[in-house]
Amino acid sequence: MSFPASLAKSDTAIAAVLTLGMAVVVGSALGFEHIGGYIPCALCLLERNPYYIGIGVGALALLSSVFKLPPVVTRGLIGVIAVLMIVSIGLGTYHAGVEWKFWEGPTSCTIGATGGDAPVNVLEALNSTKAPSCTEATLRVLGLSFAGWNVLTSAALAAIALWATFRKRG
């Protein structure tokens, strides 16, 4: 059996890959926000929630595998990750559809993350800073917005989690 094949049979490795993958995706979003200066819209912020929750669930799956809890516990936690990533696919698809004008966005589309230079300036910054609209993609890479890339990464993570949940154990 080759090294990658043995890793694919390990619930510990799969839980680690899923948790790391979710951390990289949400870390990238935070990097674009705080380093790149891309202010997220309300839907962008909402799309991060499955990842935030999933990272915690992934850590629990990793711990349950490392501490040799019954395999059904680890599989159940990986199944929860699959559901979270499917929810993320739905959120990303909805947001991308709003950006492409396939349907209307929520009325809260103009509420986003803003801030000031110091804590005392937060209220002033809220009044002077206009958050981006959910209907306009701030950046497209290879034709896809952040929402579109979220759909693809969520689909990949969901596929791994679904496979790991329902695969036959030897």
Side-chain angles (χ1 to χ4, degrees):
M1 183 182 313
S2 69
F3 182 68
S6 65
L7 279 180
K9 291 187 176 190
S10 165
D11 285 342
T12 305
I14 292 167
V17 164
L18 288 169
T19 305
L20 180 64
M22 290 181 292
V24 166
V25 170
V26 82
S28 297
L30 290 168
F32 274 104
E33 177 183 349
H34 295 290
I35 298 169
Y38 291 93
I39 298 173
C41 69
L43 287 177
C44 292
L45 294 173
L46 186 63
E47 286 175 68
R48 294 178 187 179
N49 290 337
Y51 287 96
Y52 292 140
I53 297 166
I55 291 168
V57 174
L60 290 176
L62 189 57
L63 289 173
S64 74
S65 181
V66 167
F67 289 113
K68 307 281 187 229
L69 294 180
V72 70
V73 174
T74 305
R75 272 194 305 256
L77 290 167
I78 291 173
V80 170
I81 292 170
V83 170
L84 287 166
M85 291 301 98
I86 290 168
V87 167
S88 184
I89 292 168
L91 291 170
T93 301
Y94 173 70
H95 189 184
V98 168
E99 290 174 344
W100 287 103
K101 314 280 189 277
F102 292 152
W103 43 75
E104 290 292 317
T107 56
S108 63
C109 249
T110 58
I111 301 170
T114 59
D117 295 332
V120 291
N121 293 333
V122 171
L123 292 177
E124 194 175 298
L126 284 173
N127 289 329
S128 64
T129 305
K130 184 90 168 153
S133 172
C134 300
T135 60
E136 300 296 325
T138 56
L139 175 69
R140 289 195 189 274
V141 177
L142 299 176
L144 292 177
S145 65
F146 290 129
W149 284 106
N150 177 44
V151 172
L152 294 180
T153 57
S154 296
L157 291 167
I160 294 168
L162 285 169
W163 170 80
T165 301
F166 295 111
R167 72 186 166 94
K168 293 189 185 212
R169 307 280 192 292

